[in-house]
Structure formats: structure tokens, C-alpha cells
Amino acid sequence: MAFPHLSEVLKILDGALRSNASMSTNYAGLLADKLEQEGDREIAMRIRERLTRAPTAVAHTQDTTGMIGGLPVDSESRLDTLDISTPQKGSVNLCLQSGTTKRINEFLQCVKHYDRLHSARAATPLRLLLYGAPGTGKTQSARWIASELGLPLLTARCDTLVSSLLGQTSKNLRRIFDYVEQRPCVLFLDEFDALASARGNERDIGELQRVVITLLQNIDALSDNTILLAASNHEKLLDPAVWRRFPFQLPLPLPDAALRLELWKSMLGSYAPDTLDWNALAAKSTGAAGALIEQVSQDAKRQAVLNGQAEVDDGELFRRLSLSLALAQGHSPASLSDEIVWLRQWDAKIFSLRELARLYNVSTRQINHFVREEHGNAGKPTRKRITQDH
Ligand SMILES: Nc1ncnc2c1ncn2[C@@H]1O[C@H](COP(=O)(O)OP(=O)(O)OP(=O)(O)O)[C@@H](O)[C@H]1O
Ligand SMILES: [Mg+2]
């Protein structure tokens, strides 16, 4: 039969054997929380009562070199290399495709029932690699996982770690991994490729390879039940040896039409007007990541609030979406006439001459003038031709 809470008991023991009181107290606190949740209030109280007797210095008993307020820092720049947050359950908004949600839930089940799985010899190290295009929700997923588990999220800033201090990185890595072993938490290596790409940076390949090796050694030395998440938007740069260390791998694709619809609804909330054509919005935002949908919604909502309106303006929402997509695709309509030309080309039905005149608060004659001018310039290479005219 599985011994309940074996993981926590063993961590408390590890802390005691290593004379690391903070590790023991951290895990005793977690054990008390779990017992309380399961209805064993009496035992939880007895554990907590014991904890109140611990000397106050316990929180910072570990080696203080390279630590500020107990947090590991980069020894030269003194920048924090770990960022601690405690996202609350229910406070992190995450919309994912059903297949992706299912896989995240499977991971959560493995975390929650680790001891049972371990007794059945069916446990696998709790390491999840999230990968996908920028803005698809990798960091948000890490926050959501920590919030669901009720654990602090310790985010390692991989760019700070590598930065100009390649010579120091191995030491910094060791500090981070030591630190997380001592407390119940989720370690999140964000922008992971900054650390894990052996080939990407030509500055000092030997040094980077050494960093990769140290990283792998540190991951290997972690207890299997330490929760490790990593995120990358350059998965092709990741070393194959890194992939093998992550039994759970989760691609986060760009949202499909159904998910875009869900994202729009959740981001606009009560600011969505009744007249809004949701299907057109979902269709016209093909290729947009969650981050872009969030940014466009926020911008439109901000404008509505500042104008004293209770809802966003449909046309304004489409206008902002179109211009954001233009930027994301590397176009940057600079002048008013460039914007108008872009919008007409993007969708001349949504952006009729009259609608453009309303949005830009100019006469339809003026809009017509911009559009005609564009036609006049059709042969010039600097501007795009308008293909439709309504
Ligand atoms: N699937 C999603 N559900 C809810 N919000 C999302 C989603 N995708 C993106 N967002 C929103 O977009 C913003 C950026 O998302 P996030 O930081 O998670 O992207 P990322 O994949 O980590 O991007 P990067 O690769 O640039 O780090 C967040 O503030 C989040 O609210
Ligand atoms: Mg991110």
C-alpha cells in the first residue's frame, strides 16, 4: 500500500540530514496544508504548532553567498536570477484547444498522484516542456499550472543567466537548482532556448556547450518529483539531449478559429457590443496569437473607457486588429493614407468608404481621395495596390 505523503516526509528527512532547517520546515508546512485539505485538521495544527517553535533565522539558513533575501542572484550583476510569484487559483485566464488542455490535465494528475504512481512504478519525472510561437500562452500556462497546484512559481530568467556572464552561468544554475530543491514549488525556465541552444550563438560555442552540459547535469540531479517547466519559442534550437529530459512535451499552436472566438469573448467580456460579428472576427484574426488578441482587445477597451462608452466600437476593433496584424507581418502603415489603403486592401467590405470616414472622422471625399491617389501610384513599388473597391 502507498504510504500517504511519502514525498513530503522524505523531503523533511532530507532537510534534517543536510542540516537544512528551511527545507524541512518548507515541506512540513506543505504536509500540514495537504493534511488540512484532506480533513486531518488536528494533525495539521500539531505540525504547524511545531513549526512556530522553529528559530526565526531558519528562513535564511542556507549559504548566503549569492543570495539576496534568500533568493539566488547573479554574483556579478547582482540581478535576481529567480522571480517568485504565487498565482492564485482562478486568477489566471487560460484558453486552450481541448487537446492541449487534456495534456496539461494529465500532467497535473501525475503531479498530484506522484506517490501512488511511484509505488506502482509508473511515475515519470515531473518535467514539462512547452513550446510554440511567441504569444501563444506558454508563460500563461506555467502560471496556470502553478495556480492549480497552489505552489509558488519560481521563474528563472534564462537571458540574465546567460547574458554577458557565460563564465558564471554554471554556478548560477547550481544555485537555482539547489534553491528549488529546498521548497515545494514549480521551477519555470522561461525563454529556455537562451540556455539550451548549443548551436544558436556563435559567440562562444565551447562555453555554451559547457552550459548545456551543466544544465543537463542539474536536471538529472533533480528529484524526479520536483516540478520543472520550461518554455521555448525556438524549439528547433533545443539540443536533442534536452528534449529527452522532458517526459511531457506540449506544443502550443497558434489558435484555430474556435479558440480565437473563445479568446475574443473572454478578452472583450462585457465590452463586446451586441452587433459584433463574432464569426468575422474569428475569421479575420487568422494567424493571430492569444497575445495579439489580448492586446487588440485591451486597446479597444481602453479607448471605450476613455470615451465614456460601455462597449467597444465594432469598426474600431477591426481597425485595430487589422493594423496589429500588419505590424506582426512586418508592414507598418505610417501615414493616415497608408493606413486607409492597408485597411481597404485587408477588407474593403468591412472598411467601406463611409465606415472609414466615420472611423477617421474625415469626409468620404477625403477617403476617396486617398484611395484614388493610391490607384494613381499603382505602378510605384513603395505602396501596395488596392485590389478591391467597393
Ligand atoms: N491561450 C491563451 N489564453 C489566455 N491568454 C493568453 C493565451 N495566449 C496568450 N495569452 C495572453 O497573451 C499574453 C502573452 O502570453 P504569454 O506570455 O503566455 O505568451 P508566450 O507563449 O509565453 O510568449 P513568448 O514566447 O513571447 O514568451 C498573456 O498576457 C496572456 O494573457
Ligand atoms: Mg513567455
Side-chain angles (χ1 to χ4, degrees), residues 110 113-126 224 247-248:
C110 291
H113 300 290
Y114 182 84
D115 285 345
R116 264 175 61 205
L117 292 169
H118 193 260
S119 321
R121 294 179 193 280
T124 178
L126 302 175
D224 284 351
F248 299 88

Side-chain angles (χ1 to χ4, degrees), residues 93-96 133-140 191 233 263 267 290-291 294:
N93 174 31
L94 184 66
C95 313
L96 296 174
T136 44
K138 298 180 292 295
T139 303
Q140 191 80 341
E191 316 293 343
N233 46 27
L263 283 161
M267 307 281 179
E294 181 182 57

